[in-house]
Amino acid sequence: MTDAMERFFARAELFMQRVEASLPHTLTAPDWTASIAFRYRRRTSGQGVISPVAHVGAMDLDSLREIDDQREKIYRNTAQFVRGGSANNVLLTGARGTGKSSLIRACLHAFAPQGLRLIEVDKADLMDLQDIIELIASRPEKFIVFCDDLSFDDGEPGYKALKSVLDGSVAASTPNVLIYATSNRRHLLPEYMSENQTYKHTEDGEVHPGEGVEEKISLSERFGLWVSFYPFSQEEYLSIVSQWLGNLGFSAEQISAARSEALLWALERGARSGRVAYQFARDFAGRRVLS
């Protein structure tokens, strides 16, 4: 074979690889018994894969402090869903580190024995959301499609894909699938001061947002249940610290003695949250092991 022919076949093979990558691929089901949680990822070849999560972080509902109202709403909605009743897609918004993702994980563990499963999907892969739903629509399990830390920039394609699936698509909603999403901002898209100028005021004082503002709030409104989380006070933060230290085996006296260190830890990080409290408890326990 001449050098020219070898180059020709190499280019032809490369061309066929690119064509194959651009063609639609059938999504393959994983072993649904391998885990209670799964991740969807799109490979560079264009093939989407649902993979079981080998080690799902343990989380108990009773371990989540200072978010009783939020916990009750999410637990009730999830219980209705698992038991075959009507339930809503959920948007959990608010301060970072206040337990949004942990609450979803705790509900997964609570209802996994009753057939609840979770599939985590990054916002970059939301264009494939309809394919995922079609794959699991006939399964006997109940599925939460979980989008963590969700927000969009203007023009991102995943925004419209999620909006269509939530409400408004020609396809009917699937009774064994709900979407739970967490975000630090409620409207999921950036908002600009100039957009306030598009608001219109009628003579009777009624306010009408402009079309641009309507578009930005329309996605959030398609979630049937909104659950808001708020920054913790100092006492709430210390209560969570006590909870985690107690779980790690420390006595009441040791927990009381750790209060000043816990406050300093939060001050250095500029936040009082459940995540910061958990990180302090791990650091405090680790230092005691080494001392």
Side-chain angles (χ1 to χ4, degrees):
M1 183 181 296
T2 65
D3 291 343
M5 293 181 64
E6 289 181 353
R7 289 195 297 270
F8 170 78
F9 284 116
R11 288 197 297 267
E13 183 178 359
L14 180 60
F15 173 75
M16 291 303 298
Q17 290 174 352
R18 291 175 177 174
V19 170
E20 183 180 357
S22 66
L23 293 175
H25 296 272
T26 302
L27 186 59
T28 302
D31 177 4
W32 295 114
T33 65
S35 180
I36 62 173
F38 300 81
R39 287 194 184 97
Y40 176 81
R41 294 289 185 271
R42 175 174 278 275
R43 301 276 176 83
T44 55
S45 64
Q47 176 69 48
V49 177
I50 298 178
S51 304
V53 177
H55 304 287
V56 183
M59 182 58 64
D60 185 77
L61 284 164
D62 293 333
S63 297
L64 300 174
R65 294 292 187 89
E66 308 302 335
I67 53 170
D68 293 347
D69 291 342
Q70 296 91 334
R71 180 176 57 190
E72 191 276 332
K73 290 177 182 177
I74 300 299
Y75 181 87
R76 185 189 69 239
N77 191 74
T78 308
Q80 292 171 192
F81 174 53
V82 170
R83 293 165 187 167
S86 56
N88 280 302
N89 299 305
V90 183
L91 178 61
L92 302 85
T93 65
R96 65 186 188 275
T98 47
K100 299 185 292 294
S101 301
S102 296
L103 183 51
I104 295 174
R105 195 164 76 245
C107 282
L108 171 63
H109 282 284
F111 291 103
Q114 301 176 41
L116 183 63
R117 299 293 182 265
L118 181 144
I119 302 175
E120 184 176 6
V121 181
D122 290 338
K123 72 169 184 176
D125 298 322
L126 285 174
M127 289 296 295
D128 300 333
L129 188 54
Q130 191 62 60
D131 294 333
I132 298 170
I133 292 175
E134 289 178 2
L135 177 69
I136 60 180
S138 60
R139 294 289 307 176
E141 302 91 348
K142 301 288 186 178
F143 289 90
I144 289 176
V145 175
F146 176 45
C147 305
D148 193 23
D149 197 18
L150 187 64
S151 64
F152 296 97
D153 293 324
D154 288 327
E156 285 195 77
Y159 173 85
K160 292 190 179 295
L162 178 58
K163 182 178 175 182
S164 176
V165 168
L166 285 170
D167 181 23
S169 172
V170 173
S173 58
T174 306
N176 72 327
V177 180
L178 283 182
I179 296 175
Y180 281 20
T182 69
S183 179
N184 292 332
R185 62 191 189 198
R186 191 165 188 171
H187 289 158
L188 303 179
L189 277 170
E191 300 176 66
Y192 304 102
M193 185 66 68
S194 60
E195 292 172 337
N196 292 329
Q197 299 172 6
T198 66
Y199 276 86
K200 298 178 181 178
H201 301 264
T202 62
E203 292 181 357
D204 60 1
E206 188 176 0
V207 179
H208 297 279
E211 292 182 358
V213 177
E214 286 276 15
E215 172 66 18
K216 292 196 172 184
I217 66 178
S218 63
L219 177 59
S220 299
E221 288 185 339
R222 296 190 183 211
F223 287 91
L225 180 61
W226 291 358
V227 182
S228 299
F229 291 70
Y230 305 98
F232 294 129
S233 67
Q234 178 172 297
E235 287 307 311
E236 288 171 337
Y237 165 72
L238 290 174
S239 173
I240 298 170
V241 169
S242 298
Q243 165 75 18
W244 285 120
L245 289 178
N247 289 348
L248 292 171
F250 289 93
S251 66
E253 293 77 12
Q254 291 173 312
I255 293 173
S256 178
R259 286 172 60 93
S260 59
E261 289 188 54
L263 291 174
L264 179 60
W265 182 274
L267 181 63
E268 290 174 343
R269 280 149 186 78
R272 292 191 296 258
S273 70
R275 180 181 297 129
V276 171
Y278 176 68
Q279 292 168 345
F280 167 76
R282 287 176 57 87
D283 179 78
F284 185 84
R287 285 187 282 116
R288 292 302 177 275
V289 170
L290 294 177
S291 62

